[in-house]
Amino acid sequence: MENRLKELRESKGMSQKTLGHFLQISQQSVSRMEHNIHIASIDTIIRTATFFHVTSDYLLGLSDKKRHVSHSPHTKKLEQYHEYLFLFDLLTSYQQEITKHLLHILQKTQDEIPFDSE
């Protein structure tokens, strides 16, 4: 798990402390898991795999296949939402309030201001 966890964490630009926050474990536990000093609980493995959208087999080094192929049209949208929530959670409470306010403004004006979203 050591190389995979560190690789996934770094690919998201996350610190061990931030990942620990999302997994509900300490920064020290993340470090120990990355260095193969600590064996993660089943709950932590499931949360980690879910967080990074990979299979537990991939996370544990039992498979090179990162995720199961999903044919759901909503998978990409859910991944986008996950990324937005991750970024939102990194903001200060003040920045979160500003972001919410801006989103409300955009929602109210979406029909008034024509723009091309792509």
Side-chain angles (χ1 to χ4, degrees):
M1 187 165 156
E2 60 186 287
N3 293 331
R4 299 253 166 108
L5 180 59
K6 185 174 182 179
E7 170 193 317
L8 290 166
R9 178 181 61 78
E10 288 179 345
S11 74
K12 294 282 187 187
M14 299 176 73
S15 68
Q16 290 177 341
K17 183 177 181 178
T18 301
L19 179 58
H21 170 77
F22 282 102
L23 299 180
Q24 302 169 0
I25 60 175
S26 69
Q27 177 271 323
Q28 292 84 0
S29 292
V30 174
S31 177
R32 288 186 205 120
M33 289 180 346
E34 285 186 355
H35 291 92
N36 223 14
I37 297 170
H38 174 76
I39 299 173
S41 70
I42 292 172
D43 288 340
T44 300
I45 292 169
I46 291 169
R47 278 196 303 273
T48 305
T50 301
F51 181 80
F52 286 114
H53 304 290
V54 298
T55 65
S56 56
D57 283 352
Y58 176 81
L59 190 61
L60 296 169
L62 302 173
S63 170
D64 289 332
K65 188 175 180 181
K66 282 191 174 185
R67 62 180 103 184
H68 298 293
V69 178
S70 174
H71 299 291
S72 168
H74 303 290
T75 301
K76 186 160 180 73
K77 181 81 82 185
L78 288 173
E79 288 178 1
Q80 278 183 318
Y81 290 157
H82 183 267
E83 183 70 19
Y84 296 149
L85 288 173
F86 166 72
L87 293 172
F88 185 80
D89 199 46
L90 294 177
L91 299 174
T92 66
S93 59
Y94 179 71
Q95 291 170 324
Q96 288 177 354
E97 288 303 314
I98 291 171
T99 302
K100 287 185 224 176
H101 183 70
L102 289 172
L103 288 171
H104 286 292
I105 291 171
L106 288 171
Q107 182 183 21
K108 288 179 184 178
T109 60
Q110 69 183 358
D111 294 329
E112 299 169 15
I113 304 172
F115 67 95
D116 187 8
S117 64
E118 295 293 321

